[in-house]
Amino acid sequence: MKLLTPLKSYWWKLLAFLFTSSPSIASEKVKVKIAAVDWCPQLCPRGNVSGYINEILSSIYPSELFTLDIDYLPWSRAIKLVNKGDYQMLLAPTKEEAPDLKYPLYPIGIQQMCFFTLTDSNWSYINTDSLKGLSEPSKHIDFNL
C-alpha cells in the first residue's frame, strides 16, 4: 500500500481545492462513470466481496464526496466505450490492451498468468504449441473439495 500514499495525497489535495473553491460543488457529490469487467477477486459485482480494486477505489473516492457508477461490461466493449468518452474510467486495464488511456504513475496491482499442474507432471509451458494435446482442466479437477 506504500505505492498508494503519493496518489492519495495528490487526490486529496486536488479534492480539497475543488470542494473549497466553490460552494455549489461542495454540496453535491461528483458522479464518476466507470466501466469494469467481472473479474473476481479483483472486481466482484456479485457476492459478499467487492474485490480489492473496488476497495481501493472506494478509499480514493469516498462515498461522502463521490457517486461511483460502475457498469460491468464485456472487456472489449468496456475499452471501446472508455476510449469513446462514454465512461471516465476503466478498471484494471493493461497498457497493451488499452494503449490510448491515461495510466497512473503507480500501479495498484500486478497481474501474472500462471499454469498449474499436478506435482507428478513433467509438463511446462514453452509456447502456444506446448498447449496442444492438453485436455480441459475442469474434466480432471474436483472443484468441490
Side-chain angles (χ1 to χ4, degrees):
M1 287 299 199
K2 285 185 179 181
L3 294 177
L4 285 179
T5 305
L7 265 180
K8 267 189 161 179
S9 174
Y10 171 76
W11 283 110
W12 284 115
K13 288 176 187 173
L14 177 62
L15 289 174
F17 170 76
L18 287 174
F19 289 102
T20 57
S21 63
S22 170
S24 63
I25 292 177
S27 63
E28 295 180 26
K29 288 185 180 183
V30 176
K31 183 177 180 180
V32 183
K33 286 190 63 161
I34 302 170
V37 65
D38 183 346
W39 188 39
C40 219
Q42 290 82 356
L43 301 160
C44 307
R46 295 175 298 278
N48 298 336
V49 295
S50 63
Y52 82 86
I53 293 174
N54 280 327
E55 291 172 9
I56 292 170
L57 193 65
S58 294
S59 70
I60 294 172
Y61 296 95
S63 60
E64 304 83 45
L65 304 174
F66 295 93
T67 300
L68 302 180
D69 184 12
I70 302 175
D71 289 330
Y72 292 89
L73 307 162
W75 191 238
S76 58
R77 186 181 312 158
I79 293 170
K80 188 180 293 185
L81 292 172
V82 172
N83 279 323
K84 185 180 167 190
D86 291 347
Y87 289 86
Q88 297 164 300
M89 187 183 306
L90 176 63
L91 298 182
T94 65
K95 291 179 184 177
E96 292 80 23
E97 294 171 315
D100 297 329
L101 300 180
K102 293 182 181 179
Y103 290 85
L105 183 59
Y106 301 102
I108 62 169
I110 297 172
Q111 172 181 297
Q112 180 178 355
M113 298 300 180
C114 301
F115 291 98
F116 296 90
T117 65
L118 298 174
T119 54
D120 61 348
S121 173
N122 62 358
W123 179 86
S124 64
Y125 179 81
I126 299 167
N127 56 33
T128 54
D129 288 338
S130 65
L131 298 170
K132 290 179 181 172
L134 295 178
S135 59
E136 294 179 33
S138 62
K139 293 180 180 178
H140 304 284
I141 298 174
D142 181 4
F143 290 103
N144 298 313
L145 299 175

